[in-house]
């Protein structure tokens, strides 16, 4: 396929120079599956090249023959021609450090003093007569190996001399990435980006992501797709804003099937469904496919659907009783969209995804890409839902830009080899290039890895965003996957160490998922306490401030009642040191429900900053922690006493009026009472010496408080 014609002087003559890529397959149907590393193939390229050369008569014409969908140009014809001239040979092949497909031919290769020794058939440049001579003897089949064919010519001393072939051993013209990832880095210079081979200190013109090592992360930059001066230069091209689609009513929005996948016990599932409900997208243009493998979460799904099922156009639920594995469930979800003629997109959403951006779905649709994921990370870690590069074996490799992308120092839409957890797929792909039902199946790979591997093997007519910078018009092989960090989207939960042995298991997540724990359980006004002076002072040296959300109060009370082993309220108490309680209450200690570590973490993170502000000079050391229950027919009040603490934290866990009557706390020395404690608010007061106090009678209902004694 002739892509461009330009002229450059070689030996004081004007040479007709043509870019010719191996995309002859778009003239004749391409027969190979693109997975050249799994075995021989590519003979069709040689046949089509041979046929095309028969029409070319100009002996001064220089042909550049390269693979296409995994290739980017770092510079133009002028530099390429100059370096070709400097090679002083009629045909120059790209080189590799690894021999393929027949390693037994290694001894027949000429030795080189410095550089790569082995031929790579994915790129070569030369004069028409010499290339014609090189392919003249081709009689192979389309599935024969072009690599082996050219290798045998090169290792034959007579043919090598006759055709005048050499290798670009130091990667001045061509850079093959397979086996050489560690040798190549990005070089930013004056608004342009080059790939630099640090081993040979060269700047190759043609970059080829051959084998499993595709071009993704280099193609995101070269030659000027992303620079430090301009940022991303193509991220706003070819967008399809929903407003531009002339959406006048909800019925004109694209129809999206959202696939929710629950593979394992996961914290904060209730919050997941609350966020799903808040997605800014017409619910009547959404269908839900919910796959749940965990019986523990059936109540969460049932509760959500009981209240909101009617909002969605359709809902399908696959429960644990169907004993379907992860791969089968993903295949089924995709097929639900594939077979629905009205489906425009499939939005895969794993249950551990925390989508904070309510416009995520709209943003992804407007990107107008075949497969696109919002970038998410795990709090405090570099773990994310994409890979920047692949290893030679096709597994995870960290690209040099990965950390900068994850930490937001580089912002754009990135072509990547792997996405997971949450991404949007065009339904048109599922009915064409991805029509294979078993996209997630593999004997060796996890389902998400199998899916991405299958994507990389498929072909379609989508152009990667960076390809526009090459300034050529052609169809490109390969379905490309993208991740965008142009917006802040959310995060991914940790499911490590998540136990389901409690009533409200999320209470125990303060260590594993501290941000989500805070959103669920800490009062919405807590962060304004210092800034807006929300700390009240109802009595001398007594401070009152919001700390717990209503959900936290409810969960803690319900957890204690679920445990049920309340103390008898007597002086003898084997739970404490010495075994004797001077001022007994009806209570349950935090360590009785294995919540002591989590409670201490809560006190250190959220209470300690306030105590150290209000009582400066004291180091916060927490001792006893427990929940007290007051009932008129059980223990309605508590006699005047000093606490066994330097100061005490007392959190109201329910509301006077709806839950109980009476109650409160009176400080006798100051004749000062707090008779209407606010749910979720904490009283903080000195315990010994000055603040002799009593618990006022609860006259109706049940009152609960959480108490912690603090000592310096």
């Amino acid at each position: 396929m002739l892509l461009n014609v330009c002229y450059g002087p070689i030996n004081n003559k004007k040479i007709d120079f043509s870019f010719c890529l191996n995309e002859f397959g778009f003239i004749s149907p391409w027969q190979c599956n693109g997975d050249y590393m799994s075995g021989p193939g590519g003979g069709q390229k040689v046949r089509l090249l041979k046929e095309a050369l028969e029409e070319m008569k100009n002996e001064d014409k220089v042909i550049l023959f390269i693979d296409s969908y995994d290739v980017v140009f770092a510079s133009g014809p002028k530099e390429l021609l100059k370096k070709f001239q400097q090679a002083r040979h009629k045909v120059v092949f790209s080189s590799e450090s690894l021999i393929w497909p027949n390693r037994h031919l290694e001894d027949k290769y000429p030795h080189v003093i410095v550089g790569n020794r082995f031929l790579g058939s994915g790129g070569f440049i030369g004069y028409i007569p010499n290339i014609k001579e090189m392919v003249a003897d081709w009689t192979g089949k389309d599935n024969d190996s072009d690599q082996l064919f050219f290798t045998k010519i090169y290792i034959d001393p007579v043919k090598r001399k006759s055709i005048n072939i050499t290798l670009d051993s130091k990667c001045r013209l061509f850079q093959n990435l397979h086996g050489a990832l560690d040798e190549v880095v990005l070089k930013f210079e004056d608004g342009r980006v080059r790939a630099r081979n640090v081993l040979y200190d060269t700047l190759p013109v043609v970059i080829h992501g051959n084998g499993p090592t595709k071009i993704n992360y280099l193609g995101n930059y070269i030659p000027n797709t992303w620079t430090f001066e301009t940022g991303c230069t193509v991220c706003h091209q070819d967008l399809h804003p929903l407003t531009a689609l002339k959406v006048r009513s909800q019925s004109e929005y694209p129809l999206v099937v959202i696939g929710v996948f629950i593979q394992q016990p996961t914290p904060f599932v209730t919050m997941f469904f609350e966020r799903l409900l808040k997605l800014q997208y017409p619910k009547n243009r959404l269908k839900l496919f919910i796959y749940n493998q965990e019986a523990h979460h059936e109540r969460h799904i049932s509760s959500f659907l009981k209240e909101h099922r009617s909002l969605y156009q359709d809902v399908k639920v696959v429960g644990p009783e169907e004993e379907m594995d992860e791969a089968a469930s993903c295949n089924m979800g995709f097929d639900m969209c594939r077979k629905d003629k009205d489906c425009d997109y499939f939005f895969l959403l794993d249950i551990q995804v925390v989508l904070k951006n309510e416009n995520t779905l709209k943003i992804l649709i407007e990107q107008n890409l075949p497969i696109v994921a919002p970038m998410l990370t795990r709090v405090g870690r570099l773990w994310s839902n994409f890979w920047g590069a692949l290893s030679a074996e096709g597994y995870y490799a960290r690209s040099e830009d990965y950390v900068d992308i994850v930490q937001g120092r580089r912002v754009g839409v990135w072509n990547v080899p792997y996405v997971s957890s949450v991404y949007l797929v065009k339904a048109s792909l599922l009915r064409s290039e991805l029509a294979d039902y078993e996209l997630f199946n593999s004997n060796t790979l996890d389902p998400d890895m199998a899916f991405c591997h299958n994507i990389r093997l498929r072909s379609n007519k989508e152009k990667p965003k960076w390809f526009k910078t090459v300034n050529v018009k052609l169809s490109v092989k390969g379905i490309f996957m993208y991740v965008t960090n142009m917006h802040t989207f959310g995060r991914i939960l940790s499911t490590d160490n998540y136990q389901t042995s409690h009533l409200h298991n999320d209470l125990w997540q303060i260590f594993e998922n501290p941000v989500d724990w805070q959103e669920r359980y800490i009062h919405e006004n807590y962060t304004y306490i210092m800034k807006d002076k929300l700390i009240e002072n109802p009595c001398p040296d007594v401070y009152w401030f919001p700390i717990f959300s209503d959900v936290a109060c409810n969960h803690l009370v319900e957890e204690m009642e679920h445990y049920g082993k309340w103390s008898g309220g007597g002086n003898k108490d084997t739970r404490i040191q010495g075994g004797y309680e001077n001022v007994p209450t009806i209570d349950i200690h935090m360590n009785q429900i294995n919540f002591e570590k989590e409670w201490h973490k809560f006190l250190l993170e959220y209470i300690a900053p306030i105590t150290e502000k209000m009582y400066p000079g004291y180091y916060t050391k927490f001792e006893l922690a427990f929940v007290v229950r007051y009932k008129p027919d059980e223990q309605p009040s508590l006699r005047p006493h000093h606490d066994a603490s330097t100061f005490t934290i007392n959190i109201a866990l329910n509301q006077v009026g709806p839950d109980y009557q009476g109650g409160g706390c009176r400080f006798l020395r100051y004749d000062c009472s707090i008779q209407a404690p606010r749910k979720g608010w904490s009283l903080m007061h000195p315990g010994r010496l000055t603040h002799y106090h009593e618990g006022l009678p609860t006259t109706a209902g049940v009152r609960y408080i959480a108490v912690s004694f603090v000592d310096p």
Side-chain angles (χ1 to χ4, degrees):
M1 179 179 291
L2 186 64
L3 298 180
N4 195 9
V5 178
C6 53
Y7 296 87
I10 294 184
N11 298 330
N12 297 318
K13 298 189 330 186
K14 280 193 174 182
I15 305 299
D16 187 2
F17 177 80
S18 300
F19 282 105
C20 292
L21 278 71
N22 72 352
E23 290 303 320
F24 302 114
F26 290 109
I27 301 172
S28 302
W30 188 246
Q31 302 299 324
C32 295
N33 66 4
D35 187 12
Y36 301 130
M37 298 306 293
S38 64
Q44 186 181 9
K45 292 191 293 184
V46 186
R47 173 176 64 79
L48 293 172
L49 173 61
K50 183 178 179 181
E51 293 172 0
L53 287 172
E54 292 175 358
E55 306 298 324
M56 299 181 184
K57 307 301 182 184
N58 188 344
E59 294 188 357
D60 289 331
K61 181 176 283 188
V62 172
I63 299 294
L64 172 65
F65 187 88
I66 56 173
D67 287 349
S68 64
Y69 80 98
D70 52 1
V71 166
V72 291
F73 288 89
S75 187
K78 184 176 180 180
E79 180 179 337
L80 190 66
L81 283 169
K82 180 181 178 180
K83 291 181 174 179
F84 172 56
Q85 179 187 16
Q86 293 171 344
R88 301 184 182 280
H89 284 74
K90 299 295 185 180
V91 178
V92 179
F93 269 88
S94 67
S95 67
E96 300 196 44
S97 61
L98 305 174
I99 186 171
W100 185 85
N102 188 344
R103 58 187 179 86
H104 299 295
L105 298 177
E106 179 176 354
D107 293 340
K108 296 185 179 182
Y109 265 92
H111 288 276
V112 296
I113 298 175
V114 179
N116 296 327
R117 183 182 174 192
F118 306 113
L119 177 145
S121 66
F124 58 86
I125 185 171
Y127 288 93
I128 283 181
N130 304 78
I131 294 178
K132 280 185 175 180
E133 179 183 352
M134 184 171 66
V135 300
D137 295 333
W138 172 262
T139 58
K141 300 177 181 178
D142 282 0
N143 61 352
D144 287 345
S145 173
D146 61 320
Q147 173 82 17
L148 190 59
F149 172 73
F150 290 127
T151 295
K152 288 182 177 179
I153 293 174
Y154 178 71
I155 63 178
D156 184 323
V158 176
K159 290 183 179 180
R160 184 170 68 248
K161 182 177 181 180
S162 172
I163 301 171
N164 196 4
I165 305 175
T166 190
L167 300 186
D168 179 31
S169 295
K170 294 184 180 179
C171 305
R172 300 181 73 246
L173 291 88
F174 304 98
Q175 176 67 63
N176 289 316
L177 296 179
H178 184 48
L181 275 179
D182 293 339
E183 301 172 12
V184 181
V185 297
L186 292 168
K187 184 177 190 298
F188 294 87
E189 52 180 21
D190 301 326
R192 293 194 59 188
V193 187
R194 297 292 298 265
R196 175 172 174 254
N197 186 302
V198 295
L199 191 60
Y200 307 120
D201 195 21
T202 55
L203 299 174
V205 177
V206 180
I207 318 298
H208 182 201
N210 56 322
T213 311
K214 295 307 175 190
I215 201 70
N216 302 85
Y217 91 92
L218 293 177
N220 287 321
Y221 297 91
I222 298 170
N224 58 4
T225 305
W226 193 100
T227 69
F228 285 108
E229 292 82 1
T230 64
C232 181
T233 62
V234 299
C235 290
H236 298 287
Q237 296 179 7
D238 287 346
L239 298 181
H240 277 189
L242 292 175
T243 53
L245 298 178
K246 298 182 179 179
V247 176
R248 292 181 294 272
S249 66
Q250 291 188 352
S251 62
E252 295 183 32
Y253 274 79
L255 179 65
V256 182
V257 174
I258 299 181
V260 176
F261 294 88
I262 306 176
Q263 313 286 354
Q264 58 191 341
T266 305
F268 304 108
V269 169
T270 300
M271 295 178 71
F272 172 90
F273 284 111
E274 290 172 1
R275 286 187 293 267
L276 180 63
L277 197 64
K278 292 178 181 178
L279 273 183
Q280 294 301 301
Y281 203 86
K283 301 294 186 292
N284 62 355
R285 300 301 293 163
L286 297 176
K287 294 185 178 182
L288 298 184
F289 172 83
I290 301 176
Y291 164 72
N292 175 33
Q293 190 172 309
E294 290 297 327
H296 172 71
H297 292 308
E298 286 190 286
R299 60 189 175 97
H300 300 118
I301 298 170
S302 296
S303 177
F304 170 73
L305 293 180
K306 181 179 179 180
E307 293 188 39
H308 307 296
R309 185 180 198 128
S310 61
L311 297 176
Y312 297 91
Q313 190 176 124
D314 188 31
V315 177
K316 178 177 176 59
V317 179
V318 178
E321 70 280 355
E322 299 196 30
E323 298 182 349
M324 183 180 295
D325 63 21
E326 180 181 354
S329 68
C330 293
N331 289 331
M332 177 183 284
F334 271 45
D335 205 47
M336 177 176 168
C337 176
R338 183 185 291 119
K339 290 179 177 178
D340 184 346
K341 62 182 179 59
D342 295 323
C343 180
D344 297 298
Y345 296 93
F346 186 88
F347 186 42
L348 183 141
L349 189 57
D350 284 347
I351 196 71
Q352 65 266 33
V353 168
V354 179
L355 278 186
K356 297 293 292 179
N357 191 326
E358 296 177 2
N359 292 305
T360 296
L361 186 52
K362 286 183 178 179
I363 291 169
L364 297 183
I365 290 174
E366 291 177 346
Q367 284 297 320
N368 190 32
L369 292 168
I371 301 174
V372 58
M375 191 196 76
L376 303 175
T377 60
R378 190 164 287 169
V379 174
R381 296 176 59 183
L382 291 174
W383 193 96
S384 74
N385 65 323
F386 77 97
W387 294 353
L390 294 175
S391 67
E393 295 76 26
Y395 292 96
Y396 172 82
R398 178 173 290 183
S399 59
E400 64 176 280
D401 61 353
Y402 178 83
V403 174
D404 281 348
I405 292 174
V406 167
Q407 296 183 342
R409 290 192 291 270
R410 300 185 190 183
V411 175
V413 180
W414 311 96
N415 188 332
V416 296
Y418 172 90
V419 293
S420 67
S421 300
V422 53
Y423 49 84
L424 186 74
V425 183
K426 283 186 174 181
S428 57
L429 286 180
L430 300 179
R431 301 186 188 102
S432 53
E433 289 85 357
L434 302 182
D436 181 6
Y437 182 87
E438 296 184 342
L439 290 173
F440 291 85
N441 289 65
S442 171
N443 293 327
T444 57
L445 301 174
D446 292 339
D448 55 348
M449 294 177 63
F451 171 72
C452 294
H453 176 74
N454 283 327
I455 294 299
R456 296 192 296 269
L457 293 184
R458 296 304 196 276
S459 64
N460 71 351
K461 296 184 179 180
E462 295 285 345
K463 299 183 185 70
K465 279 185 177 285
W466 49 260
F467 203 90
K468 302 181 184 89
T469 63
V470 181
N471 194 28
V472 293
K473 293 184 181 294
L474 81 165
S475 296
V476 186
K477 290 199 169 191
I479 299 175
F480 294 94
M481 294 170 281
Y482 297 85
V483 66
T484 173
N485 66 341
M486 297 280 285
H487 303 263
T488 299
F489 294 101
R491 56 188 175 270
I492 296 181
L493 292 171
S494 169
T495 57
D496 299 338
N497 306 316
Y498 185 63
Q499 304 296 321
T500 59
S501 56
H502 304 284
L503 179 65
H504 295 294
N505 300 280
D506 296 347
L507 279 169
W508 278 258
Q509 285 294 297
I510 191 170
F511 290 103
E512 298 293 342
N513 294 289
V515 174
D516 298 88
W517 195 93
Q518 176 174 327
E519 286 187 2
R520 189 64 163 168
Y521 293 127
I522 296 301
H523 197 284
E524 61 182 355
N525 292 329
Y526 172 81
T527 54
Y528 301 106
I529 287 177
M530 299 297 187
K531 176 183 175 183
D532 296 339
K533 299 180 180 179
L534 292 184
I535 300 179
E536 299 182 16
N537 188 205
C539 301
D541 287 328
V542 176
Y543 300 100
W544 202 13
F545 53 89
I547 188 66
F548 267 162
S549 68
D550 279 2
V551 173
C553 296
N554 296 342
H555 282 192
L556 191 55
V557 168
E558 290 167 12
E559 197 68 47
M560 291 301 182
E561 289 292 0
H562 178 70
Y563 177 72
K565 298 180 181 179
W566 296 93
S567 66
N571 296 107
K572 184 178 180 182
D573 193 342
T574 58
R575 300 170 301 170
I576 62 176
Q577 187 176 3
Y580 183 84
E581 173 59 70
N582 187 42
V583 187
T585 54
I586 305 293
D587 58 48
I588 295 176
H589 290 190
M590 296 298 181
N591 61 9
Q592 290 180 261
I593 61 168
N594 297 316
F595 195 59
E596 188 174 29
K597 288 192 303 181
E598 288 76 12
W599 187 258
H600 281 183
K601 176 70 172 176
F602 154 69
L603 294 173
L604 286 171
E605 291 291 328
Y606 299 102
I607 298 294
I610 298 173
T611 61
E612 290 164 11
K613 176 76 173 178
M614 297 298 103
Y615 302 129
Y618 284 95
Y619 172 75
T620 306
K621 178 184 177 184
F622 299 100
E623 297 295 338
L624 197 59
F626 49 94
V627 171
V628 178
R629 182 174 73 184
Y630 291 109
K631 296 171 66 175
D633 59 351
E634 189 176 63
Q635 182 182 13
S637 61
L638 192 61
R639 66 178 176 81
H641 63 284
H642 285 295
D643 288 337
S645 66
T646 300
F647 53 92
T648 297
I649 305 299
N650 179 333
I651 304 172
L653 298 179
N654 57 347
Q655 186 67 49
V656 64
D659 300 320
Y660 65 90
Q661 299 294 324
C665 182
R666 175 172 175 260
F667 295 93
L668 279 70
R669 181 175 182 177
Y670 308 103
D671 192 22
C672 181
S673 299
I674 297 95
Q675 294 184 321
R678 301 166 191 163
K679 183 177 181 180
W681 282 57
S682 175
L683 279 176
M684 183 169 68
H685 61 83
R688 299 189 181 96
L689 190 61
T690 59
H691 281 61
Y692 194 60
H693 61 284
E694 64 179 334
L696 299 175
T698 298
T699 58
V702 184
R703 178 188 175 212
Y704 299 91
I705 59 172
V707 178
S708 292
F709 291 161
V710 184
D711 274 315

